Amino acid sequence: MDEDLVQMILSNRRGAEAAKKTVVRPFLEKGRLLFQFAEYRDGKVFHTNLEREEALERIEKLLRVSYKQIDIWAGEEQYSALVNRQGRASVRRRRSDVVPSSRRLSHNREKAGILSPDVPVPFLRELGVQTADGKIVNKMYKKFRQINRFLEFIRDVLPSLPDDRKLKIIDFGCGKSYLTFAMYYYLKILRGYDVDMTGLDLKADVIARCNELAEKFGYDKLHFLQGDIQSYDGAEQVDMVVTLHACDTATDFALAKAVGWGA
């Protein structure tokens, strides 16, 4: 519970009276470290800001009364724990793909961009947007700004998406999947959404590379398939359809699929 904390997600509620999930993040207010609790309840989000000791007490109580599971991203580690009513926990630890930085700690950090140019992100490094030490490659600043602007669109539609089940998202014509990886990272890693994402593209070599990277990053709810948009029939219900720069009539097919699903 310090500046190395990226976020906590309390989930797997014990009863219907508990919020669906509670997300805890640190932020600085006039130089003071506080912890924001975001409770997701009935399609709305309720925020409370607490100091460290109060936050610890609240987390402990939530794990005893409201939730069975907590996932923590802190330092360079990710921890997952299942807690029973007697307070005993089974804990799993692995290396995190979110590298913390005190520069995250701004209450309104998303106003300056959802992804910070100072925080290393594995998929950005692998796709050549960042250097090994996390700096944006000079010729990739335009791509980085495009990714951030795209994520702002995603953030804007979140209130319209269901919050009581897994979200099914498809990226038609995903290509090298800069935006697909960014969307997964934002929704799953940073926001804690339960998602099932698919990227579709005609190029077999591109799809193979994207699947390789998804496996490398541990993105187990992100899959890439080779195929064309018009004949795709791999889903019966889809919540969000994404398509960018689709060629020829591909955009028309993507829109038709989205309308047909009511996405």
Side-chain angles (χ1 to χ4, degrees):
M1 294 292 284
D2 56 26
E3 294 185 4
D4 276 345
L5 176 68
V6 177
Q7 71 173 2
M8 298 180 181
I9 300 176
L10 295 104
S11 60
N12 196 356
R13 57 187 179 179
R14 297 184 185 276
E17 60 277 0
K20 181 188 175 186
K21 66 179 177 181
T22 297
V23 179
V24 183
R25 294 190 183 94
F27 69 95
L28 290 175
E29 184 176 74
K30 298 180 180 179
R32 186 173 55 141
L33 182 64
L34 297 174
F35 297 86
Q36 182 183 81
F37 286 69
E39 289 189 354
Y40 291 75
R41 188 187 296 272
D42 299 325
K44 299 179 181 179
V45 185
F46 301 90
H47 295 97
T48 306
N49 299 328
L50 299 176
E51 293 189 348
R52 183 178 184 275
E53 294 305 317
E54 294 175 308
L56 283 169
E57 290 178 6
R58 180 161 182 176
I59 291 167
E60 183 180 1
K61 182 178 179 180
L62 287 172
L63 286 174
R64 284 201 315 266
V65 177
S66 302
Y67 299 103
K68 302 175 185 177
Q69 180 172 343
I70 182 169
D71 295 281
I72 305 170
W73 289 262
E76 295 183 356
E77 306 290 336
Q78 177 181 342
Y79 302 85
S80 297
L82 289 172
V83 184
N84 63 23
R85 286 195 175 276
Q86 289 71 45
R88 290 191 296 271
S90 58
V91 182
R92 182 167 59 97
R93 184 179 77 174
R94 64 183 176 90
R95 190 169 184 82
S96 174
D97 60 358
V98 179
V99 180
S101 168
S102 59
R103 282 169 288 193
R104 288 177 175 271
L105 298 182
S106 166
H107 193 37
N108 298 313
R109 72 182 187 278
E110 289 190 347
K111 291 182 179 179
I114 291 174
L115 300 181
S116 168
D118 301 315
V119 177
V121 179
F123 79 85
L124 290 179
R125 293 201 301 267
E126 289 285 347
L127 294 173
V129 178
Q130 283 183 331
T131 61
D133 59 354
K135 302 300 181 184
I136 304 300
V137 176
N138 287 336
K139 66 178 182 180
M140 298 300 287
Y141 264 102
K142 183 177 180 181
K143 175 63 70 175
F144 182 74
R145 288 195 296 269
Q146 180 194 47
I147 291 171
N148 257 324
R149 185 71 183 106
F150 173 78
L151 291 180
E152 290 174 0
F153 288 127
I154 299 300
R155 180 185 61 195
D156 290 345
V157 302
L158 289 181
S160 301
L161 295 173
D163 62 357
D164 57 350
R165 58 175 172 80
K166 182 180 295 183
L167 297 177
K168 177 63 179 178
I169 301 171
I170 296 180
D171 186 351
F172 281 137
C174 59
K176 292 184 179 179
S177 300
Y178 294 97
L179 302 181
T180 324
F181 281 108
M183 184 163 51
Y184 186 92
Y185 179 82
Y186 174 58
L187 292 173
K188 178 70 174 177
I189 306 299
L190 295 185
R191 298 296 297 265
Y193 278 83
D194 186 10
V195 298
D196 178 14
M197 289 181 54
T198 301
L200 187 78
D201 200 89
L202 288 171
K203 297 179 180 178
D205 57 336
V206 170
I207 290 300
R209 175 59 175 162
C210 290
N211 276 320
E212 177 185 324
L213 291 179
E215 183 177 359
K216 179 177 181 178
F217 303 146
Y219 293 176
D220 57 349
K221 301 298 184 180
L222 174 59
H223 308 284
F224 296 90
L225 301 173
Q226 182 187 6
D228 68 276
I229 300 171
Q230 185 179 16
S231 62
Y232 177 78
D233 59 358
E236 296 182 358
Q237 180 184 47
V238 177
D239 299 296
M240 184 195 301
V241 171
V242 174
T243 187
L244 183 68
H245 303 321
C247 300
D248 196 23
T249 56
T251 299
D252 301 310
F253 293 138
L255 288 169
K257 291 284 188 182
V259 171
W261 283 316

